[in-house]
Amino acid sequence: MGLVGGEENKNATENGVSGSEFPLGSKTKYKRMESEVVDTEEDIPLTKKNRNTRKYVFACAIFASLNSVLLGYDVGVMSGAILFIQEDLKITDVQQELLVGILSIISLLGSLAGGKTSDAIGRKWTIAFASFVFQTGALIMALAPSFEVLMIGRLFAGVGIGFGVMIAPVYIAEISPAIARGSLTSFPEIFVNLGILLGYISNYAFSGLPVHMSWRVMLGVGIIPSVFLGFSLFVIPESPRWLVMQNRIEEAKIVLTKTNESESDVEERLAEIQLAAGMANAEKYEAKAIWNEILNPNPAVRRMLITGCGIQCFQQITGIDATVYYSPTIFKNAGIKGNTQLLAATVVVGFTKTVFILVAIFLIDRVGRKPLLYVSTIGMTTCLFGLSLALALPGNGKLGIGLAILTVCGNVAFFSVGIGPICWVLSSEVFPLKLRAQASALGAVGSRVSSGVITMSFLSVSRAITVAGTFFIFSVISALSVAFVHTCVPETKGKSLEEIEMLFQDKGEWQSGEVEMGDAERLVQKA
C-alpha cells in the first residue's frame, strides 16, 4: 500500500470509520504531517466493484483462517477428551501432561520451517500444507489403539499447527488494506476461539458414548474443516508481496486489482511493494543472511523483535492455554462434580471467549491496538487474582464455584478482547518485508514453546503449590504484561506495513507511534 494511501486510511480510521466495513478509495490528499492538512474528500457511491472487492478480501481472510479452527478445536476438545482417554488407556498424570503439552512444543518445528517454506512455495500453498499435515495427525489420533500411537498423531498435528499459526496472519496482513488490516488479521484468532467452542460442544455432545469410543469421535470430528479448506484453495490468491519477491510482477498486479478498488491504488501499492522488495532482491537476502540479521539485529530490528516476539510470549505465559486445556480440572477443584457438569461449564467458557473476540474485531481498527491491550492485560490480571482467591476459599461451596466460573469467563473475555487477537496482528505488522516470514516464525516459536511449558507443567506445579497458588503466579505475570505494553508496543492503527517499519527506525518514533509520510526513501535506505 502506498504511503499516501496509508495516511488516507489512517485519516478514515481516526474519523470513526469502521475497519470492518473496508472504507477504501478515499480522495483525501495530504502534505507532510507537520504541515497543514488539505482535505478534498468527496463522497463516493459504493459501486458494484467496491462491494465485490470488499467481499473478496473478506472471503480470502476467512479461508486463510480455517487452519486456526483446527488449532482451536484441538485445544478445546482435548480438555474434555483427556478425561476419557485417561480412563480408557489408563494413562498417568505425567503422560496426560505430555499428551496435552507436546503439541505446543512440537509445533515449533512447523513454525521454524514455516518461514522458509512460505518463502519457497508461497503463502497460499503453505496454508494448504499445514492443513494436510494436521489432518494426518488428527486421523492417526482418532484411530490410535495405544498411548504411543496417540502421541505419534499428536506430533503430526503439532507440526501442522506450527505451520498454520505462523503463516495465516502473515498472508492476511499482506493482502489487506491498512485500514482493515487489524480486523482482518484478527480473523485467525476468531477462528481459534470458534474452534475451541466447537471442541467444548463436541465434548459435551459425545460424552454419553462408551468411553472407548467417545474420545475417538471427539478427535475425529476435527477432520471436517479440511473439506472447506480444500475448496478455499480455488478462491484465495497468492500474496502479492510474495509474488513481487519472486519477480512475478504481472501476477501481483492481478491480485492487487482484485483486492483494491481503484487502478491508482493498485499502481501506488505495487510501486511501494516493489520498492521494499527491490532492496531485498538486489542484495540477494538468502535465508542464512536473514537469520543473521535477526540473530545480530541493528537497533531498529531489535525493537521489532522485542515487540513482535515479546507480545507472543506474554500471550501464553499468562496461562491462557492452561485455563482452556484444564478448565475441567479448575472447575473440579472449585467444587463441581460429575463429567457432564464439568463439560457444560467449559461450554460457557468457550462461548464467552468466542463472543468477546467479536468485540475485539469491532474495536481494533476504531480505538487502536494499544488501548485494547491495556484493557486486556489489566482485566486479565484482576480476573486471575480473583480466580486464585476463589480456589483458595475453604470448603468452596456455591460461592467458590460461582466466583470460579465468573473469573475464568472474565479472564478469557479480557484475553479475547485484546492480547489474544492483537498479538497476531502486531507480530505480522512490525517486521519489514525481507524479514517478515522468518521473524514471524520466530515469534510463533516463542508462543508455542511458552504454551508447551505452561501446559506440560500445570498439573505438577498445581500439585506442588495448589491450583490457587498457580493462578496467583499467572496474575503476577499478567501484571508484568501491562508494563510491557506501556514501554514496548507502539500504536500501528491505520498505518501501512511500510509506515510501521518507519516507527522502529527511530526510538522516539517507536514510542510516539508517529511517522512522517515524506520518509519513504529513508525507510528503504535504513531497512
Side-chain angles (χ1 to χ4, degrees):
M1 181 176 296
L3 293 177
V4 174
E7 281 298 312
E8 291 172 355
N9 290 336
K10 179 181 177 184
N11 186 65
T13 306
E14 289 173 348
N15 280 287
V17 181
S18 168
S20 61
E21 294 176 357
F22 295 31
L24 310 177
S26 169
K27 294 295 183 181
T28 307
K29 298 181 181 179
Y30 295 83
K31 298 180 181 179
R32 291 176 63 88
M33 288 182 66
E34 71 269 22
S35 303
E36 180 183 357
V37 179
V38 180
D39 190 352
T40 60
E41 185 173 326
E42 300 172 0
D43 291 332
I44 301 175
L46 188 63
T47 66
K48 182 177 181 180
K49 182 180 186 305
N50 295 152
R51 289 192 295 269
N52 289 341
T53 297
R54 298 173 191 189
K55 290 178 182 178
Y56 183 72
V57 175
F58 186 80
C60 289
I62 288 178
F63 285 131
S65 303
L66 286 178
N67 269 328
S68 299
V69 174
L70 307 179
L71 169 59
Y73 184 83
D74 183 273
V75 171
V77 81
M78 189 55 73
S79 69
I82 195 68
L83 301 175
F84 301 95
I85 293 172
Q86 191 173 31
E87 183 178 350
D88 185 27
L89 301 182
K90 311 301 181 185
I91 63 176
T92 66
D93 283 350
V94 172
Q95 288 176 318
Q96 181 180 344
E97 283 183 322
L98 185 63
L99 181 63
V100 170
I102 196 64
L103 182 135
S104 294
I105 296 294
I106 203 68
S107 67
L108 71 87
L109 298 178
S111 292
L112 282 172
K116 187 173 183 179
T117 302
S118 66
D119 282 344
I121 68 174
R123 301 351 183 187
K124 173 180 175 178
W125 293 108
T126 301
I127 291 173
F129 181 70
S131 177
F132 174 78
V133 174
F134 178 88
Q135 294 306 327
T136 300
L139 184 61
I140 293 173
M141 287 191 293
L143 300 176
S146 65
F147 175 75
E148 290 74 19
V149 176
L150 188 61
M151 284 296 295
I152 291 174
R154 196 75 170 153
L155 296 178
F156 272 95
V159 171
I161 283 175
F163 274 96
V165 299
M166 172 264 154
I167 193 57
V170 171
Y171 173 83
I172 297 172
E174 291 185 347
I175 68 166
S176 302
I179 194 168
R181 189 179 57 248
S183 297
L184 293 175
T185 312
S186 300
F187 274 27
E189 186 66 18
I190 296 178
F191 281 74
V192 167
N193 284 273
L194 177 61
I196 290 172
L197 177 58
L198 292 175
Y200 285 157
I201 293 173
S202 178
N203 287 155
Y204 184 75
F206 300 118
S207 62
L209 295 175
V211 172
H212 71 281
M213 185 185 296
S214 58
W215 65 269
R216 299 178 190 277
V217 175
M218 291 173 186
L219 296 177
V221 168
I223 298 173
I224 294 175
S226 64
V227 177
F228 297 99
L229 191 57
F231 284 116
S232 78
L233 298 177
F234 296 97
V235 176
I236 65 175
E238 184 51 82
S239 159
R241 286 173 171 83
W242 182 82
L243 291 171
V244 169
M245 289 288 287
Q246 304 302 310
N247 292 318
R248 294 159 61 176
I249 308 301
E250 288 304 315
E251 293 177 59
K253 187 173 182 179
I254 292 173
V255 175
L256 288 170
T257 300
K258 293 179 179 179
T259 57
N260 291 277
E261 296 180 5
S262 70
E263 186 63 29
S264 61
D265 284 341
V266 171
E267 294 299 332
E268 284 180 1
R269 291 163 191 176
L270 181 61
E272 184 174 271
I273 293 171
Q274 286 180 281
L275 188 64
M279 187 190 70
N281 286 332
E283 296 184 12
K284 298 180 180 178
Y285 273 91
E286 301 292 340
K288 183 177 179 180
I290 292 174
W291 278 111
N292 182 64
E293 184 166 349
I294 291 174
L295 297 175
N296 299 282
N298 59 39
V301 173
R302 185 180 302 113
R303 287 190 282 268
M304 295 173 186
L305 290 170
I306 290 172
T307 299
C309 296
I311 198 71
Q312 290 270 18
C313 291
F314 270 111
Q315 184 202 49
Q316 292 299 326
I317 61 178
T318 49
I320 188 63
D321 276 1
T323 304
V324 173
Y325 272 123
Y326 295 109
S327 54
T329 301
I330 296 168
F331 292 136
K332 183 183 293 186
N333 193 267
I336 298 179
K337 308 296 183 184
N339 286 343
T340 301
Q341 289 79 11
L342 290 172
L343 296 178
T346 62
V347 171
V348 175
V349 175
F351 182 77
T352 302
K353 201 170 188 298
T354 304
V355 167
F356 277 87
I357 191 67
L358 300 178
V359 175
I361 303 314
F362 180 78
L363 295 177
I364 193 170
D365 283 316
R366 287 174 167 81
V367 303
R369 284 57 157 160
K370 200 160 183 173
L372 286 181
L373 283 174
Y374 278 132
V375 170
S376 176
T377 51
I378 293 171
M380 287 172 61
T381 301
T382 303
C383 290
L384 287 167
F385 182 72
L387 179 58
S388 71
L389 292 179
L391 296 174
L393 287 175
N396 297 117
K398 291 185 178 180
L399 176 61
I401 293 173
L403 187 57
I405 294 175
L406 178 64
T407 52
V408 169
C409 289
N411 183 48
V412 299
F414 281 115
F415 176 88
S416 293
V417 85
I419 197 170
I422 294 174
C423 163
W424 299 106
V425 174
L426 284 174
S427 62
S428 62
E429 287 180 331
V430 299
F431 300 112
L433 178 59
K434 64 177 180 291
L435 303 178
R436 187 169 298 136
Q438 305 289 7
S440 295
L442 184 62
V445 167
S447 171
R448 293 297 89 204
V449 170
S450 300
S451 172
V453 170
I454 295 297
T455 54
M456 290 178 74
S457 62
F458 179 79
L459 293 178
S460 297
V461 173
S462 296
R463 281 195 298 270
I465 64 172
T466 74
V467 178
T470 303
F471 277 96
F472 175 76
I473 292 176
F474 286 147
S475 72
V476 173
I477 296 173
S478 184
L480 294 176
S481 71
V482 180
F484 175 83
V485 169
H486 178 70
T487 57
C488 298
V489 178
E491 180 56 72
T492 59
K493 180 188 72 171
K495 295 179 173 62
S496 72
L497 296 176
E498 288 70 27
E499 288 177 314
I500 292 170
E501 187 178 343
M502 277 301 305
L503 293 176
F504 293 88
Q505 300 293 345
D506 179 83
K507 188 172 182 179
E509 291 175 348
W510 180 45
Q511 293 174 335
S512 68
E514 297 297 334
V515 60
E516 293 185 348
M517 291 175 50
D519 287 329
E521 294 297 330
R522 184 161 66 90
L523 166 62
V524 176
Q525 292 168 2
K526 283 191 174 186

